[in-house]
Structures are given as C-alpha cells and as structure tokens.
Amino acid sequence: MSGLKPYRPGAGAGLPIAAGLSDQARAFQRAGKAKSTQRAYLSDAGLFAAWCTEHGLDPMPATPLAVLEFLTHQATRGAKASTIARRLAAIRYAHRLAGEVDPTDNEGLREGLRGIRREIGTRPTQKAAATADVLAALLMRTPDSLTGQRDRALLALGFAGAFRRSELVALDVQDLREDPEGLRVIVRRSKTDQEGRGLEKAIPHGRFIRPVALVREWLDAAGITEGPVFRPVNKAGRVEPRRLGVKTVERVIKHYCTAAGLDASTFGAHSLRAGYITTAAERGADLARIMDQSGHRDPRTVVGYIRRANAFKGHSGSGFL
C-alpha cells in the first residue's frame, strides 16, 4: 500500500463537524441526516478509523488509496455491495462535514469500486412478500390476549398502509383521523420525507383484513387515547407508555410466520410493505395509486414489484411451452 499517508494518533474518530460552529448550528448540521443514517454513518466511520489505525494510516483526511484498500478489505470479508456503498458514503460525508477534501472523488477509486461491484454482484436479497393470503394466515395465529390484539393491529395496519417499520412505530393517536370510509393516517416523516412535509394514507375499513377495526380494538383494549399507537406489553399484561421499537416489528412478523408453518428466515419487516404492493399489483391496481399508498417516489421500484407479481400473466411462452 505504498503512497498512503501515515496515521496521526487521535485523528478521524467518529463524524467530525467543521470547527467554529455554535451548538445550535452543529445540532442542525447533524439533523441533516435521519437518526438511523447518522448511527450507520457513525459506525462505518468508526470501522474505517479503526482499520486505518491498525494499518498506520490517517483516516482524516484520508487518501483515495486508503479508502479503496479499506473497501477492498471489506469486500474480501463478505460485505455486500450495499454495505460497501454506505461505508463509502459515510467516509465522503465525514470529510465534507469536516471541510476536508473528499477522497472518494477520484477516478482510480471509482474504477476500483466498479471492479468490486462486478466481482461481488449488486443484486439485493429480496425478502418474501407477506401478501394478503399470507397476512390472513398470520392473523389467524394471533392469541386472544392484549399482545395478540396489538399484533393484529400492527400486522393489519402495516400491510394496509404499505408502511415502513419506522413509519409504523412512529405513529401517534393524533395521526389517526376517522373517516366515514375508514381511517386517514398522517405519516409525519419518512425515509423519503426527512423534512417532515407529511403524507396522508387512506386506510379503508375492508371486509377481509379489517385493519381499521383491528386498530380500534387494540386502542380500546389498551386504553390508549394519546401518544404512541403501538407500545410494548409487559409480562404482567400491562401496556407500557413508551413507543414500540422498530426491531419488534420484524420479530412479530417472524414469530407468526413460524407459527403459520412458513420459513421465517425469508420474511422481514419489509414483507408487509412488499406484500401490499405485490397484492395490489396482482389485483391490477394502477401504478400511480399503488405509489400513493406506498409513498414511493421512484416508479422503477414499484414496477419491479409489479413485474415479479405478474411474471406469469400473459407470459410470452404460455402458448407453446
């Protein structure tokens, strides 16, 4: 690794912020990224700093060669293309935030990244979609208890609104507005709306899954009239005041998948969202209407779901295979 800059002890820890800013300005600067992104970037920057320390290199400012060697190290140890891309973004963000020259803006580095992606592949691992039929099977396995009522509401609303798990657990009672035709749910902030412009999702009463009724049953049983909609239920059967954690959504889905005899390893928190989009596509729903519910900005993402859902409909070989 000739040409790499020697490491200076103590350099490059965490995500540095340009000197001379007031506390409020620093807070606003940090708030430019979602908290989950901040945590991921902080972890990635820490990994890079630790690797540089181990190899006697300086992580701040880093050279393009150091960054490429680090990413190569990550790739050879099984990191996915998406993980490598995020770590690159974290290094770029840290340097720009500190007012240093961006080491990732380098053609040699870009060429190396193309080689890494070519070798390890970039196709993401798709979690199975919890379609309407799968969801019905999950709902049938929920117990007649307070926890069961919460889980029924969580699964049904998560599916009906094509919610991301972060959006689902962030809901407060004040975000739910009753309507003669169902429920209007306000998503105050999401992955594609970090500035909080907000998005309203319409949840019909429904005849089969009945998401609105299940949410109402949970709130009434839990005595929740304000604050977080979804909350932990302790071993004593009491509802806690705090908000349900995002990881609980995936645990709930996997638990009932196992109970329904499904391979829980193929399902995740994204399965409810994917399940709604897939089911809507199978039933011939319009692309724009699906995007209204899911909140997607890029139609290409939704088209991918539609293509998978309709892969065998009107197949070019159906008449002769």
Side-chain angles (χ1 to χ4, degrees), residues 55-176:
H55 291 83
L57 306 172
D58 191 347
M60 182 63 68
T63 66
L65 282 174
V67 177
L68 181 55
E69 287 288 357
F70 169 69
L71 298 179
T72 299
H73 171 269
Q74 292 289 295
T76 56
R77 279 154 181 78
K80 296 179 181 178
S82 58
T83 301
I84 290 173
R86 193 193 66 219
R87 286 177 181 157
L88 179 72
I91 295 169
R92 179 190 301 120
Y93 180 63
H95 279 75
R96 289 180 176 178
L97 211 56
E100 298 285 359
V101 175
D102 178 10
T104 71
D105 186 16
N106 176 272
E107 185 56 37
L109 174 57
R110 284 191 285 270
E111 189 65 24
L113 283 170
R114 282 191 284 270
I116 289 173
R117 289 194 292 266
R118 192 181 186 90
E119 286 295 317
I120 67 177
T122 59
R123 183 177 178 83
T125 301
Q126 296 285 346
K127 287 295 185 181
T131 59
D133 291 339
V134 171
L135 182 67
L138 304 189
L139 293 174
M140 289 174 61
R141 269 69 182 184
T142 55
D144 291 326
S145 64
L146 201 53
T147 300
Q149 287 180 301
R150 182 205 64 193
D151 293 346
R152 282 195 290 274
L154 183 76
L155 293 168
L157 186 61
F159 175 86
F163 286 106
R164 298 177 177 89
R165 60 179 175 178
S166 58
E167 299 168 351
L168 194 57
V169 300
L171 291 176
D172 288 332
V173 174
Q174 66 183 28
D175 300 325
L176 311 181

Side-chain angles (χ1 to χ4, degrees), residues 186-190 192-199 297:
I186 307 300
V187 180
R188 301 194 179 275
R189 193 180 297 274
S190 69
T192 56
D193 179 23
Q194 293 297 327
E195 296 179 4
R197 289 185 293 271
L199 169 69
R297 289 185 177 179

Side-chain angles (χ1 to χ4, degrees), residues 31 47 65 75 114-115 134 160 175 179 192 198 219 225 253 265 270 275 279:
L47 283 174
L65 282 174
R114 282 191 284 270
V134 171
D175 300 325
D179 185 276
T192 56
L219 292 176
T225 58
I253 293 169
S265 68
H270 190 71
T279 303

